[in-house]
Amino acid sequence: MGWTETRFRAAAAPTNTVEWMTPKHIIDALGPFDLDPCSPPTRPWPTAALHYTKEDDGLARAWNGLVWMNPPYDRSMKNWMARFAEHNNGIALVNARTETSWFVKSVWPKALALFFPAGRIVFCKPDGSIAHAAGSPSVFVAMGSVARDRLARINLAGQHIAGPLSQDSIALPSPTVPEAAGSLADVRA
């Protein structure tokens, strides 16, 4: 996959590009930001005062200030989210994949707020024109008090969850499995 502000697999994007930009109105509503550690090399609007591109290797560089991060939507997500949680000062826009190991390890224990937008975010092409809706649900993750406060003021339809968050502090329903079932295969049968 290419290096972009937001990435989706080709199956989710019926065009021949994998570069999808966060809409400017979202950056304007939540910013300003000091650093975007995984920025595309060409962008129609700034996402932060300082941008690291793939060539800069944002994971290996120093992170300072309030970070805006929309990381690659691939297997490197766990590395980006671990680094984001370690920095603990910013807002990330990621897939709402709350069951994944990176979400469980990096988001639940550290996030001060989450915002689940209603519907799918409509992303933009690298030239700034409107592309299409995301191929999956998204969530904004706030780390640190400044990010939490900015996320609380977002003017989008959706659900805001204030923290500190942890799987223990959020009442999640327990899965029910028939008592006689010994495996998922037994349940499906």
Side-chain angles (χ1 to χ4, degrees):
M1 265 193 219
W3 185 262
T4 61
E5 174 71 11
T6 306
R7 295 134 190 108
F8 294 97
R9 298 199 184 283
T15 66
N16 56 358
T17 183
V18 293
E19 294 187 3
W20 304 109
M21 298 289 300
T22 302
K24 186 176 186 317
H25 73 276
I26 291 175
I27 299 297
D28 291 346
L30 295 171
F33 294 96
D34 300 306
L35 173 66
D36 181 344
C38 45
S39 179
T42 303
R43 56 201 159 272
W45 45 79
T47 52
L50 178 62
H51 299 88
Y52 294 156
T53 66
K54 182 178 181 181
E55 292 73 31
D56 298 320
D57 190 3
L59 281 173
R61 305 278 303 260
W63 290 20
N64 295 300
L66 188 67
V67 167
W68 165 257
M69 190 176 81
N70 195 338
Y73 286 23
D74 61 18
R75 292 186 189 273
S76 70
M77 178 74 77
K78 66 181 177 184
N79 300 326
W80 286 106
M81 290 307 292
R83 179 68 187 275
F84 183 71
E86 177 185 309
H87 181 66
N88 200 31
N89 186 19
I91 298 174
L93 175 58
V94 296
N95 283 337
R97 300 292 309 268
T98 61
E99 82 289 1
T100 59
S101 63
W102 60 262
F103 206 98
V104 170
K105 291 176 182 173
S106 299
V107 176
W108 290 125
K110 287 267 197 158
L112 291 186
L114 301 174
F115 179 77
F116 293 88
R120 305 268 171 106
I121 293 176
V122 177
F123 287 91
C124 298
K125 296 176 185 175
D127 66 4
S129 64
I130 294 189
H132 63 83
S136 62
S138 301
V139 63
F140 294 86
V141 178
M143 301 275 185
S145 60
V146 172
R148 177 201 58 215
D149 294 348
R150 288 196 187 180
L151 196 56
R153 74 174 194 230
I154 194 167
N155 190 19
L156 294 174
Q159 183 62 49
H160 186 266
I161 300 172
L165 306 173
S166 74
Q167 286 183 307
D168 297 332
S169 68
I170 297 176
L172 300 175
S174 298
T176 56
V177 178
E179 196 171 303
S183 70
L184 287 177
D186 295 337
V187 174
R188 285 184 241 150

